[in-house]
Every structure is written in structure tokens, then in C-alpha cells.
Amino acid sequence: EAQVTQNPRYLITVTGKKLTVTCSQNMNHEYMSWYRQDPGLGLRQIYYSMNVEVTDKGDVPEGYKVSRKEKRNFPLILESPSPNQTSLYFCASSLVAGGAPKYFGPGTRLLVL
Amino acid sequence: SQQGEEDPQALSIQEGENATMNCSYKTSINNLQWYRQNSGRGLVHLILIRSNEREKHSGRLRVTLDTSKKSSSLLITASRAADTASYFCATEGFTGGFKTIFGAGTRLFVKA
């Protein structure tokens, strides 16, 4: 089954404790991206990747890092999480860049205390 | 920055009625897509309309695009309680990269 998976689905952490949210897709997609969703703000793009070793900033990249060492994986790294990064995070992918992604992961709810 | 803006923010209708949601955007686009999201879950892609298309249909969904007005509408005909969800438009355009910009969404509630 074609899917985008994220782990963990729920995470409670404390300020400053580094964390990684994994994202994996099984469709051999080139394009992957991360979004955060906050009430009243819709989804905002954090980072995207057009292929292996090619990443670029979205609209709200501050405080986040990503890497794309393999085509299927696109982890989101918070080196020093802060409370304003409490949000619902989505990973997404599509075959190629050039359009909003078609497949979304189930989301990761992050609470930073 | 938010480019897509949906209107209305919330909509409540009776089952069987049609629901119309609008989306406006600011810059030139390659295409525009509509998504549905059930509460707190991942987004489900509904339909894509390219900048050179004016109308597209998929089942009970009808999407129009007016590039001169920088707006799009999503019409759901004969709505069902299962259509209750938030609906988002997203644009990908000529912004110097493959950034995707989502609107804040329209919350649709269909009463049985």
C-alpha cells in the first residue's frame, strides 16, 4: 500500500531536548516536504526536498533541520525545541516537484514544555 | 506568508445541500489543489487544477479556477454527513522554488 509514515505520532518533550521526527515513503517519490499546522494558520511549509541531498527552506524553517540521505526518508530535526514549536506536523511526498504534494502522513503531535 | 485564503471560514449546511468554498491567492501559480482534512488527521488530496484549466470535475466535486481574479472555488454537490471536514486550497507557483502555500481552510459541517 502506498503510504507516508511518520514516527512518533505523539511526543511530549521539554525545552532544549533534541528530537527527530522520522518520515518515510514507499512510493519512490522524489519530492518530500514538512509542514506544521497551527489553529487559524493552516499549513505552513518548513522544508522541502526535491531529491536526495537536495533540500530547501520553506516559509518557516527557523529552528528546524532536515536531511535527505536516502530517497525514502526525510527526517525533521529540532536541535533545541522551544514551546513555540508545539504544533501538529505533517510530512508529505509526491512523485516529482511542481505541485502541492499528493500524499500526506498521518501527522505528529508535538508538545514542548 | 499565507497566500491562499479560503472563504468562508466555516460553513454549516443540511445533508443534500450543495456546499461552495472559495479560495483566493496573490501570485501567479502553476496549479492549485484542494484537500480535505478530517479532524487532526492527514490531508487527503481531492483535485488538482492547472493554471490553463478553468473547470474540473471529480465525482460530486467541481472546481473552478479564474486566474484573472486569482480565485478558485470548490463545489460539493448533494453533501453528506461524511463530507464534514476542513477543506484547504494550496498553490504552487513562481516563487523561486517549489514552495507550497496553503490557505487557512474552510470548516464544513454537514448536518444529517
Side-chain angles (χ1 to χ4, degrees):
Chain A
E1 179 192 353
Q3 60 182 352
V4 178
T5 57
Q6 294 178 229
N7 282 291
R9 296 289 313 282
Y10 304 91
L11 180 59
I12 301 174
T13 190
V14 295
T15 299
K17 187 175 181 182
K18 182 180 178 180
L19 66 92
T20 299
V21 183
T22 64
C23 172
S24 183
Q25 48 90 7
N26 63 359
M27 297 166 279
N28 202 36
H29 284 172
E30 291 185 349
Y31 184 84
M32 298 184 74
S33 56
W34 276 102
Y35 303 84
R36 60 177 289 173
Q37 185 176 28
D38 303 290
L41 294 177
L43 279 81
R44 292 179 292 169
Q45 192 172 39
I46 303 170
Y47 269 95
Y48 64 94
S49 169
M50 292 173 59
N51 214 324
V52 175
E53 302 292 1
V54 182
T55 63
D56 208 347
K57 296 176 181 178
D59 280 333
V60 288
E62 294 78 20
Y64 304 94
K65 284 176 58 177
V66 292
S67 69
R68 188 91 182 273
K69 293 184 170 57
E70 308 164 278
K71 204 170 188 179
R72 63 181 293 128
N73 296 322
F74 190 44
L76 180 69
I77 303 155
L78 284 71
E79 293 269 2
S80 182
S82 62
N84 64 13
Q85 292 178 296
T86 292
S87 188
L88 178 58
Y89 291 87
F90 290 101
C91 179
S93 74
S94 56
L95 186 60
V96 292
K102 210 168 180 179
Y103 297 89
F104 277 78
T108 294
R109 285 198 177 274
L110 172 65
L111 173 61
V112 183
L113 300 172
Chain B
S1 61
Q2 289 294 312
Q3 163 147 279
E5 294 182 4
E6 283 90 346
D7 165 49
Q9 291 187 345
L11 181 60
S12 181
I13 59 174
Q14 291 291 140
E15 207 167 29
E17 293 181 341
N18 295 341
T20 299
M21 289 159 269
N22 302 298
C23 168
S24 61
Y25 57 91
K26 294 175 183 169
T27 63
S28 297
I29 61 170
N30 292 326
N31 57 65
L32 184 145
Q33 307 203 46
W34 284 92
Y35 297 82
R36 184 186 75 231
Q37 183 184 34
N38 291 91
S39 182
R41 298 194 167 196
L43 274 72
V44 174
H45 180 264
L46 295 176
I47 198 164
L48 175 152
I49 186 164
R50 302 190 189 284
S51 59
N52 62 352
E53 297 176 312
R54 291 296 165 261
E55 188 170 310
K56 211 160 179 184
H57 296 257
S58 177
R60 293 184 297 114
L61 306 181
R62 173 177 167 251
V63 169
T64 61
L65 178 64
D66 187 335
T67 53
S68 67
K69 295 181 180 178
K70 291 187 168 58
S71 68
S72 173
S73 67
L74 170 67
L75 169 66
I76 303 174
T77 60
S79 63
R80 306 166 182 167
D83 294 328
T84 294
S86 291
Y87 292 82
F88 296 89
C89 68
T91 57
E92 187 271 329
F94 308 110
T95 55
F98 289 98
K99 294 182 182 180
T100 303
I101 301 175
F102 282 84
T106 292
R107 290 179 60 84
L108 173 65
F109 181 63
V110 182
K111 293 176 279 188

